């Protein structure tokens, strides 16, 4: 059963990033379609899967992490415009029965991601 999840680690403060808006867009079609729009909890994860087994479709997607707003809410002085504001992660899901987990490690100045399990 395929599913998609994420979590965000704030490397500046050394803790999970709570309250970050995370959007999932399906971009395989002519016009992108919003699939999910959640905020992370105190563990830096969304309370619901971004795509669960019933809604999962293989294809091209983009995760959008609203990092600039998160760091401003944390009281971090950012330039205007912020170096990182909305971090887009384009991803492709080829396996209709895959377990996809896309973590984000982030600071106001850098980010890293990988396919987790």
């Amino acid at each position: 059963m395929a599913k998609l999840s994420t979590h965000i680690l704030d490397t500046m403060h050394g803790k999970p990033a709570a309250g970050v808006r995370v959007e999932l867009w399906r971009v395989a079609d002519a016009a992108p379609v919003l699939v999910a729009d959640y905020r992370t909890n105190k563990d830096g994860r969304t309370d619901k899967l971004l795509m669960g087994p019933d809604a999962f479709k293989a294809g091209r997607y983009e995760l959008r992490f609203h990092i600039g707003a998160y760091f401003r809410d944390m009281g971090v002085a950012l330039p205007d415009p912020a170096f990182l504001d909305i971090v887009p992660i384009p991803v492709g899901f080829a396996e209709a029965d895959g377990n996809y987990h896309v973590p984000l490690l982030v600071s106001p100045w850098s980010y890293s991601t990988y396919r987790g399990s």
Side-chain angles (χ1 to χ4, degrees):
M1 302 291 281
K3 63 183 179 180
L4 171 63
S5 60
T6 189
H7 76 270
I8 306 170
L9 298 174
D10 172 348
T11 59
M12 179 181 191
H13 296 103
K15 65 180 189 173
V20 177
R21 183 177 178 197
V22 179
E23 298 172 291
L24 175 66
W25 291 82
R26 183 171 170 82
V27 296
D29 303 319
V33 174
L34 183 63
V35 175
D37 190 348
Y38 297 119
R39 290 202 178 263
T40 56
N41 60 27
K42 65 180 177 132
D43 293 322
R45 301 173 185 274
T46 56
D47 288 329
K48 295 181 180 181
L49 293 170
L50 294 171
M51 277 195 299
D54 295 339
F56 191 91
K57 290 183 186 176
R60 289 191 175 94
Y61 292 85
E62 184 173 280
L63 285 156
R64 297 179 187 169
F65 298 90
H66 292 253
I67 296 305
Y70 164 77
F71 281 110
R72 280 191 287 283
D73 290 347
M74 293 292 294
V76 176
L78 299 177
D80 187 18
F83 182 71
L84 294 177
D85 189 20
I86 298 173
V87 174
I89 308 289
V91 291
F93 306 127
E95 302 165 23
D97 60 349
N99 180 20
Y100 293 95
H101 183 70
V102 182
L104 182 70
L105 289 78
V106 68
S107 81
W109 311 106
S110 66
Y111 68 91
S112 177
T113 190
Y114 56 94
R115 180 181 175 180
S117 58

